[in-house]
Amino acid sequence: MKILICFLLVMGSLSNTILSQTLVEPNQNFEWETFSFLFPEPVVVKIESTVQKKLTVYPAKRDGFFMVIRILPWSEPITDKNLWGGSVFQKGISPKQFQKTITNQTFQIYQADQVRNQNALRNQVWIRMDEKPYLWIWLQWKTDRKDLTDFFESNLFLSL
């Protein structure tokens, strides 16, 4: 099963085409598919065509975070949720998982810190599999940016 997930992610990255690129201002609702997101600062949002529907978000002015948002392509979720934690984080520090319910939507959240290129990073993967379409959100931000920690861990990016 882990091989299948990796295969889907690799195939998606090999066949992606940028369909549009948009500058989004802070605290402006950004609508994509049936979802709405907010961002803590100006961002560039890329809508990509892949095997999966994919949205990539980068800061427009300064380094500090990025997001990848996907709609999962299968009709039934993978029931072994433990698979997700190991498939996302490489050499994660203090990995943990927990559930969070936000306006009647339940997310399974995997979190781990990581050191990459001398940067201390926080990684979170949010997976909503209690209703269709199934949603996968990967957040990564520099832990020295306390404003980002407050924004993402308070789930302000989801304007549900």
Side-chain angles (χ1 to χ4, degrees):
M1 190 57 77
K2 195 172 189 178
I3 293 170
L4 174 64
I5 292 170
C6 291
F7 175 76
L8 287 173
L9 293 175
V10 168
M11 289 305 295
S13 66
L14 291 176
S15 65
N16 67 13
T17 303
I18 296 174
L19 298 177
S20 70
Q21 190 166 306
T22 306
L23 178 66
V24 179
E25 293 299 325
N27 301 314
Q28 173 186 345
N29 271 337
F30 180 78
E31 303 285 330
W32 179 68
E33 297 294 320
T34 60
F35 306 103
S36 181
F37 300 97
L38 293 172
F39 306 108
E41 56 192 53
V43 297
V44 174
V45 177
K46 293 181 182 179
I47 298 173
E48 299 179 48
S49 172
T50 66
V51 173
Q52 305 166 19
K53 294 180 181 183
K54 178 181 170 188
L55 185 72
T56 306
V57 181
Y58 300 95
K61 295 184 178 180
R62 66 184 207 181
D63 193 22
F65 78 96
F66 83 94
M67 296 173 69
V68 177
I69 304 162
R70 295 175 189 234
I71 294 176
L72 300 176
W74 45 76
S75 59
E76 293 298 324
I78 294 174
T79 55
D80 184 6
K81 293 181 180 179
N82 292 327
L83 234 125
W84 289 99
S87 67
V88 174
F89 308 121
Q90 296 177 5
K91 299 180 184 175
I93 302 167
S94 303
K96 58 183 166 182
Q97 71 182 60
F98 52 95
Q99 282 192 351
K100 192 179 263 193
T101 302
I102 305 161
T103 61
N104 299 326
Q105 296 185 35
T106 302
F107 290 87
Q108 183 72 30
I109 301 169
Y110 298 90
Q111 177 175 296
D113 291 334
Q114 195 174 34
V115 176
R116 186 180 293 167
N117 298 330
Q118 298 179 346
N119 290 308
L121 303 172
R122 166 79 36 97
N123 289 279
Q124 285 186 342
V125 172
W126 292 57
I127 302 171
R128 188 191 78 182
M129 292 206 262
D130 56 349
E131 62 183 86
K132 294 180 184 177
Y134 304 121
L135 184 66
W136 182 90
I137 304 169
W138 178 22
L139 303 164
Q140 184 179 71
W141 69 90
K142 290 184 175 182
T143 56
D144 63 350
R145 292 275 314 267
K146 298 301 180 200
D147 59 324
L148 295 177
T149 299
D150 293 341
F151 185 83
F152 290 123
E153 291 187 354
S154 298
N155 55 274
L156 298 175
F157 65 96
L158 293 169
S159 56
L160 302 173

